[in-house]
Amino acid sequence: MVCETKIVADEHEAIAGTKKDSIIVSSSQMWTSSSPSPSALESKVEKRDQVFIREFERSDHEEVRRIFTEGIMERIPNSAFRGLKQQTRTQFIYAFLTVMCYVMTKSFTLTFCAPFILMGARYYYSRKVILNYLDCALHTDMADIEGYYMKPTGSCFWVAVLQGQVVGIVAAQGREDDNTVELRRMSVDSHFRGKGIAKALGRRVLEFAMLNNYSAVVLGTTAVKMAAHKLYESLGFRRVGETEDYTLPGMTRSSLERLFFQIRYSRYRLQLHEE
């Protein structure tokens, strides 16, 4: 199993915009500030609602891995069941197999059970593939966040902190070949969603890209839920391509795996300025 993640540079160099002001976000408003306002410090109620976005620290590692793992594990049922709605060809194949079950066996009982067996197989292979992908990620960039994101010039990793707890993560990885930065590893703790944290993390990456003079921000996602796609569009991203039968790192591409696991990969781009 091979899982590759591009490293931009071996050593970290200080560049303009690499270290930036922190972002403070309330549940009703998002704004940037180099230091907390006096009113925010004086009001305990407001302070509880504020999300503070800062750069990754070593002490965050366990919480970061937990949030990332939780987000990836959610994709197992989403890919197995919700994802089927996007796979018209697969729906036809499953219907054909169900009909053939009756033709071959003349058994109403087996025919009735066939869809449940097919869905069980989808869940099994979705779990197998996604666990392989998770293992791959946890042994590459998510095992060495400092080496992959904090040390290379033009890359960074941030955490969102609410009430002293890490509740969200996002990374930016610079690409020198086309002067773009990739938004990666965005995830928010399921207990703290709906507070604008994901949008604030996304804006952090956009700010980083502008301060470092990147021409565009790009991202790729296999998210099944429409909420994720609407989030990217609300940040200004435009969908520029899709791959219907995408190969995740860790996939074997066996015939059974291809029959019971399919995933759509969407590519987004936000152009900041022309080259």
Side-chain angles (χ1 to χ4, degrees):
M1 178 176 67
V2 178
C3 182
E4 298 181 355
T5 305
K6 180 180 176 183
I7 303 177
V8 178
D10 293 329
E11 297 181 0
H12 177 67
E13 299 174 3
I15 59 174
T18 299
K19 305 292 182 181
K20 298 173 296 305
D21 294 339
S22 301
I23 291 182
I24 298 175
V25 186
S26 70
S27 58
S28 59
Q29 182 182 24
M30 285 185 285
W31 45 279
T32 59
S33 174
S34 58
S35 60
S37 65
S39 60
L41 293 172
E42 293 169 2
S43 174
K44 291 183 179 180
V45 175
E46 286 186 18
K47 193 171 182 180
R48 288 195 200 100
D49 291 336
Q50 288 176 343
V51 178
F52 180 65
I53 298 177
R54 60 167 172 77
E55 293 185 2
F56 169 83
E57 298 173 357
R58 285 187 179 181
S59 59
D60 302 324
H61 196 251
E62 287 303 315
E63 281 298 288
V64 166
R65 285 170 64 95
R66 179 189 64 79
I67 293 170
F68 175 72
T69 300
E70 177 188 86
I72 295 299
M73 292 298 289
E74 288 178 352
R75 298 190 182 187
I76 295 174
N78 288 338
S79 300
F81 306 126
R82 288 190 181 187
L84 185 58
K85 296 178 181 179
Q86 303 173 351
Q87 305 291 336
T88 305
R89 183 174 64 88
T90 303
Q91 292 176 29
F92 176 79
I93 292 172
Y94 290 176
F96 175 77
L97 290 174
T98 302
V99 171
M100 288 302 297
C101 178
Y102 177 75
V103 171
M104 298 293 291
T105 66
K106 304 299 182 183
S107 170
F108 286 105
T109 302
L110 288 176
T111 303
F112 176 79
C113 293
F116 296 98
I117 295 171
L118 292 170
M119 290 301 98
R122 278 189 68 85
Y123 184 85
Y124 171 80
Y125 279 98
S126 293
R127 179 178 174 81
K128 176 176 177 288
V129 169
I130 290 173
L131 285 178
N132 284 342
Y133 169 76
L134 176 62
D135 182 68
C136 183
L138 292 177
H139 285 85
T140 51
D141 62 311
M142 296 305 290
D144 185 14
I145 293 172
E146 288 185 322
Y148 276 81
Y149 298 110
M150 303 307 294
K151 291 181 180 179
T153 301
S155 298
C156 199
F157 196 104
W158 298 270
V159 297
V161 180
L162 178 64
Q163 300 175 14
Q165 179 180 347
V166 175
V167 297
I169 61 173
V170 73
Q173 189 168 48
R175 296 176 171 179
E176 295 180 343
D177 54 347
D178 58 0
N179 193 36
T180 64
V181 64
E182 182 181 5
L183 186 155
R184 309 191 71 210
R185 305 311 193 196
M186 181 187 284
S187 188
V188 175
D189 189 315
S190 60
H191 297 95
F192 296 92
R193 292 173 186 168
K195 298 179 180 292
I197 297 172
K199 181 172 282 190
L201 288 166
R203 288 181 176 176
R204 184 59 156 175
V205 174
L206 302 187
E207 179 193 63
F208 177 83
M210 289 186 288
L211 288 172
N212 287 281
N213 296 315
Y214 283 108
S215 62
V217 182
V218 298
L219 67 88
T221 180
T222 57
V224 174
K225 292 182 178 179
M226 288 306 300
H229 297 272
K230 289 180 179 178
L231 168 66
Y232 303 137
E233 291 169 358
S234 72
L235 287 168
F237 285 90
R238 183 171 61 89
R239 191 176 303 188
V240 294
E242 280 186 342
T243 303
E244 289 295 333
D245 194 10
Y246 182 67
T247 302
L248 282 175
M251 288 184 67
T252 63
R253 303 299 292 172
S254 67
S255 57
L256 285 175
E257 192 175 86
R258 296 184 65 176
L259 177 62
F260 293 112
F261 180 84
Q262 309 85 27
I263 197 162
R264 178 183 294 176
Y265 181 79
S266 300
R267 297 182 297 279
Y268 284 87
R269 184 182 183 93
L270 194 162
Q271 194 70 34
L272 299 175
H273 60 79
E274 298 298 330
E275 290 286 357

